[in-house]
Amino acid sequence: MSGGLSSPLPGGDGTERRGAPNPEAPEDLAELIPELLPMFPGTAPFLARFLPQASPAHLGLNQLFCDLHAFLKCLHEQSWYGYLHASLGDQSAYVLLYEGRTVTAAAASATGEQALGELLNLYEQGAALAAYPLPATLAHVLSGVGSRAWKFNLTEDFTGLHARPTGAIFYARGEIVATMAATLPYEGAFPAPLRPQTLILPRSLAGWAHHHYTLTLRGRDALNAITGVHQNFRAQHGQGGLAFLRALGDKLSPAEYAMRSDVALHDLEPLVQDFLRTGCVREH
């Protein structure tokens, strides 16, 4: 276990340099394992209770002066790691970002895509939003925290969170990288996916992303390399636009294409609008 522990996480990120409460860790290494402090101790949603303290990169954002979709696009372009917290009265929603992509979320009675939608709804109603950066390793560990914990089985390459009534352990590739006093009433694990997938907004908030589109004659010409329409289309939208148009012609919805190609959904919305406006596609 020496690899991940020889370079402990830097200080000043809500950690305390106390020995990790893990009897299985060698004594000489325990002092190197940072103990993270929970940002939202005692919170009900699983994701929220295991989010570590961090200094905010952005605090007090609201819809009067910050468009949330533009902000998310900015974070995506920065490949940002961290979490967002929106609060309005006694309502809160939490969203984790990995490589600038929204990968898991939680609210009082929802997780995943529905919780992401809850954060957007709260923001539109006037909620204050804060963004807290995290080291990439911790963001990856937390990316698997959803609505339920699984039976814990420590393997050599396990990445994820092991939660117990006595505390939580953060694992990266089988090595302990941090601990936290946050607990579950039972023992369970939240394995992190090898590559976290991007959350897609629920249909109620992004109906256009779940629609199917049919190529018009102009759209088919845009994919035909011998036409002038193709030359103009490629000059405007590049290979990415051509690939997206071809996927629409293959009956993929924008949401399905975003999932398969790892493209941010908010980057596809203006393309869809332009394809409709210029008559390359029509709604199916």
Side-chain angles (χ1 to χ4, degrees):
M1 289 174 56
S2 59
L5 300 178
S6 60
S7 301
L9 297 172
D13 55 1
T15 65
E16 289 188 359
R17 300 296 174 182
R18 299 201 302 257
N22 176 23
E24 300 168 7
E27 248 179 67
D28 57 338
L29 295 179
E31 291 298 325
L32 296 177
I33 302 173
E35 181 172 351
L36 306 174
L37 301 175
M39 178 66 92
F40 308 101
T43 311
F46 288 162
L47 174 63
R49 72 173 63 183
F50 297 113
L51 293 173
Q53 286 185 15
S55 298
H58 305 277
L59 193 63
L61 300 180
N62 67 66
Q63 65 167 352
L64 294 178
F65 63 89
C66 179
D67 178 79
L68 184 55
H69 293 284
F71 181 57
L72 290 174
K73 183 173 183 179
C74 177
L75 295 179
H76 183 264
E77 290 170 350
Q78 296 174 9
S79 292
W80 191 79
Y81 297 88
Y83 59 90
L84 308 180
H85 172 226
S87 60
L88 183 65
D90 59 355
Q91 299 181 77
S92 285
Y94 314 83
V95 175
L96 184 79
L97 275 75
Y98 181 85
E99 296 176 343
R101 299 178 293 113
T102 55
V103 296
T104 189
S109 58
T111 58
E113 296 171 354
Q114 296 300 323
L116 175 59
E118 182 65 20
L119 180 134
L120 294 178
N121 282 331
L122 288 176
Y123 193 75
E124 291 173 355
Q125 294 170 29
L129 183 77
Y132 301 90
L134 290 177
T137 299
L138 293 185
H140 191 194
V141 170
L142 290 165
S143 67
V145 179
S147 59
R148 60 171 294 186
W150 302 82
K151 181 179 179 181
F152 178 62
N153 179 26
L154 179 59
T155 58
E156 288 186 357
D157 60 350
F158 177 77
T159 296
L161 189 73
H162 176 206
R164 306 164 298 168
T166 55
I169 301 175
F170 290 63
Y171 283 95
R173 296 178 297 281
E175 300 176 352
I176 299 175
V177 294
T179 62
M180 182 184 283
T183 64
L184 283 183
Y186 51 86
E187 182 179 17
F190 298 96
L194 185 62
R195 177 163 174 74
Q197 286 195 321
T198 305
L199 292 178
I200 302 298
L201 284 175
R203 188 181 299 272
S204 59
L205 291 174
W208 65 269
H210 299 273
H211 291 166
H212 286 88
Y213 301 84
T214 301
L215 296 187
T216 62
L217 177 60
R218 181 177 180 81
R220 291 194 293 272
D221 282 346
L223 296 177
N224 187 342
I226 66 172
T227 67
V229 174
H230 172 83
Q231 304 300 327
N232 292 333
F233 185 95
R234 186 175 64 179
Q236 182 176 359
H237 298 297
Q239 288 299 325
L242 285 168
F244 180 39
L245 183 64
R246 188 174 295 109
L248 295 179
D250 291 338
K251 307 305 179 187
L252 288 182
S253 69
E256 291 168 332
Y257 178 75
M259 292 289 286
R260 294 190 185 189
S261 62
D262 204 24
V263 173
L265 189 62
H266 53 68
D267 286 342
L268 298 180
E269 185 172 14
L271 286 177
V272 170
Q273 293 174 347
D274 188 75
F275 294 173
L276 290 168
R277 181 179 59 79
T278 58
C280 288
V281 302
R282 64 174 183 271
E283 287 197 34
H284 185 61

